Amino acid sequence: MAIAEDLEVASFLKQQPKKLFIGGRWVESASGKTFETIDPSSGQVLAKVAEGDVEDIDRAVAAARKAHESGVWRELPPAERAKMLWKVGDLIEERAQEFAQLDSLDNGKPINEMLLFDVPMSAATFRYYAGWATKLDGATQQTSFPGKYLSYTLREPVGVVGQIIPWNFPLMMAAWKVAPALACGNTVVLKPSEETPLSALLLAEIMQEAEIPDGVFNVVPGFGETAGARLAAHPDVDKIAFTGSTEVGKLIAKAAADSNLKRVSLELGGKSPNIVFSDANLRRATSSAFLGNFYNQGQMCSAGSRLFVQNDVYDKTLDELTKIVEQTRLGPGIDPMTQMGPLVSRKQMERVLGYISVGTKEGARLVAGGKKPEGLDSGFFVTPTVFADVDGKMRIAQEEIFGPVLAAIPFSSEEDLIAKANDTMYGLVAGVWTNDVKRAHRVAHALKAGAVYVNCYNVLDPATPWGGFKQSGWGRELGAYALDLYTEVKNVIVDIG
Ligand code: NAI
Ligand code: MG
């Protein structure tokens, strides 16, 4: 594909094939193989990338182990680690345009969303965890025999951390994983998604510029079944962190158990309920319901893909929502006028179109979208789609579609609602819209979800925890909770009697 000269990221894209980043050096894959990453708005090749496989993961893990054991990172004064991580945040901000253009081209997402959300959130995440590097305190325990035994705890890095991330927020997912791991003194091997490997490599350039020591941060792009599987099964990786499908999450847990029982954290799928009671501010609830499901082309683990609306405001809410949906401007993400881009890949587009025909066959009422838009034939576009009168047992109400498809479900009472809202294998987030403060808290308590938004949706902050109940995952990322994922607690007991 011809790279537009006026793009700030043009010079990065021109150096092809992109290499792996291992031990502070840019290297080819051991096999010499490369793979292509695609611009989903055109279906054309965006870049060729060195294809990491077992041998490359092994090299990267060895580099990360060497850096860990040498102490260049974990024994650095915490304020030095903090300074470098803060610098990473600064450099992400400085190169905001490049990151925005890169993920927009590689993933398809609207560039304005990159500039307003993904990039600032990624920089903020590095800064937030820079602050924690100097605050990894332990505690003293009051023992049963205080005059005899003194007990105190230390938080130590887990060691070499493998991180496997998805394609939906390529830079931001890297930031959420890498920042807390490095703040806690670990070394990292990052495997980005084969669909969107580029921004992780630009992040590696930044790590070099921030003078993060060699081997502390390594990036090995490659496929899940090869490079990803090796990282999860590697005997010398102490912890694996994964975001992606529940199906692959289970494989990761198995691989960890069957190898060295490495620590595992999983951020998996969702089928989140967004709930509108009739006493809510309907205008705000409706526009938020739109963004809560269709932002990022609906490719969000936290998508509010089940919209529950109380009977007496159901028709009105659905009409308003349909109007917003139908006005959405589709186009290539790199065009600043675009409100919704293509899906990430042909595979994802076909999956979503498949679910749309499942919904129709199941008897749900299609009220908007449901097809490929006209005039955008070469890209992987699907029009934003709304199904009404969905029954909670239908596949479109139970399975994660990961695309611009919303299932609207009417409900009568609060009691009826709670049972329906909790009726999936997932439990990532939920939204509640009501002006009744008692009801808001009551429903928030009754929902099985890792985050409940009251009169808002998908508000993300590096300071607040993120993760799921049930099959939405294990552990909590972000906030102080992520420190538990990236440290081991050591209890030191001293005989002082
Ligand atoms: P995926 O779960 O296969 O991919 C996520 C990451 O895992 C990628 O880096 C991939 O290379 C890696 N991976 C795949 N197989 C692996 C294995 N056997 N061992 C180790 N790593 C492996 O997701 P995919 O195929 O891209 O999308 C399929 C569906 O998964 C989506 O339609 C969506 O429903 C769900 N998904 C959910 C995400 C979330 O944030 N909850 C993110 C991405 C996908
Ligand atoms: Mg791509």
Side-chain angles (χ1 to χ4, degrees), residues 164-168 191-195 222-225 228-229 232 242-245 248 251-252 267-270 300-301 347-348 351 400-402:
I164 301 175
I165 56 172
W167 42 258
N168 53 345
K191 194 208 79 68
S193 166
E194 55 271 40
E195 304 287 0
F223 290 88
E225 300 73 13
F242 171 77
T243 296
S245 58
V248 173
L251 297 177
I252 302 276
E267 204 271 88
L268 309 175
M300 292 181 292
C301 51
K347 181 177 136 203
Q348 196 63 17
R351 176 191 164 97
E400 182 176 54
I401 299 175
F402 226 64

Side-chain angles (χ1 to χ4, degrees), residues 80-280:
E80 291 295 311
R81 284 210 304 272
K83 209 160 110 186
M84 289 183 205
L85 292 175
W86 192 276
K87 174 99 198 235
V88 172
D90 286 347
L91 291 170
I92 288 175
E93 214 167 67
E94 250 172 56
R95 299 178 75 172
Q97 282 293 344
E98 281 173 86
F99 276 114
Q101 292 167 358
L102 202 52
D103 274 356
S104 179
L105 288 168
D106 207 1
N107 166 286
K109 59 170 65 200
I111 187 155
N112 285 333
E113 293 183 6
M114 280 301 296
L115 290 168
L116 292 171
F117 178 65
D118 300 48
V119 174
M121 179 73 178
S122 303
T125 303
F126 275 98
R127 291 188 181 126
Y128 174 80
Y129 284 105
W132 273 115
T134 50
K135 295 163 198 73
L136 298 171
D137 296 336
T140 56
Q141 280 67 233
Q142 190 181 27
T143 65
S144 304
F145 305 99
K148 172 71 174 156
Y149 294 113
L150 165 68
S151 157
Y152 63 90
T153 50
L154 300 171
R155 275 190 184 268
E156 297 184 359
V158 178
V160 173
V161 172
Q163 303 184 313
I164 301 175
I165 56 172
W167 42 258
N168 53 345
F169 295 90
L171 171 66
M172 194 179 84
M173 288 295 105
W176 285 20
K177 293 266 179 298
V178 174
L182 293 187
C184 292
N186 301 281
T187 59
V188 166
V189 176
L190 177 69
K191 194 208 79 68
S193 166
E194 55 271 40
E195 304 287 0
T196 55
L198 298 174
S199 53
L201 297 170
L202 187 56
L203 184 63
E205 278 192 10
I206 275 181
M207 293 283 180
Q208 276 186 303
E209 213 180 320
E211 295 180 32
I212 305 278
D214 293 350
V216 170
F217 176 70
N218 307 274
V219 185
V220 183
F223 290 88
E225 300 73 13
T226 51
R230 177 58 182 166
L231 195 55
H234 201 291
D236 201 31
V237 169
D238 300 300
K239 185 219 153 50
I240 189 100
F242 171 77
T243 296
S245 58
T246 293
E247 192 189 344
V248 173
K250 290 181 182 180
L251 297 177
I252 302 276
K254 274 203 199 98
D258 290 343
S259 53
N260 60 344
L261 207 62
K262 55 179 69 62
R263 278 86 186 97
V264 179
S265 52
L266 303 171
E267 204 271 88
L268 309 175
K271 193 74 191 176
S272 298
N274 196 0
I275 301 157
V276 183
F277 284 95
S278 52
D279 64 1

Side-chain angles (χ1 to χ4, degrees), residues 53 55-56 61 163 175 210 215 234 237 359-360 364:
D53 203 328
E55 215 175 304
D56 306 292
V61 171
Q163 303 184 313
H234 201 291
V237 169
T360 311

Side-chain angles (χ1 to χ4, degrees), residues 274-277 279-282 284-285 288-289 430-437 439-441 444 452-459:
N274 196 0
I275 301 157
V276 183
F277 284 95
D279 64 1
N281 178 332
L282 290 184
R284 289 199 52 219
S288 179
V432 184
W433 294 84
T434 176
N435 279 329
D436 176 340
V437 71
R439 168 180 279 157
H441 290 284
V452 179
Y453 297 107
V454 178
N455 294 333
C456 59
Y457 198 86
N458 259 350
V459 175

Side-chain angles (χ1 to χ4, degrees), residues 300-351:
M300 292 181 292
C301 51
S302 57
S305 52
R306 290 183 300 148
L307 181 67
F308 288 95
V309 189
Q310 203 158 15
N311 283 334
D312 40 346
V313 293
Y314 179 75
D315 288 337
K316 189 174 165 212
T317 307
L318 217 57
D319 283 352
E320 284 303 309
L321 180 71
T322 309
K323 267 187 221 145
I324 305 176
V325 165
E326 282 171 346
Q327 283 163 9
T328 310
R329 229 178 0 253
L330 275 78
I334 199 77
D335 177 350
M337 297 304 284
T338 290
Q339 290 171 320
M340 187 178 282
L343 299 183
V344 72
S345 61
R346 181 176 300 282
K347 181 177 136 203
Q348 196 63 17
M349 175 185 75
E350 279 164 4
R351 176 191 164 97

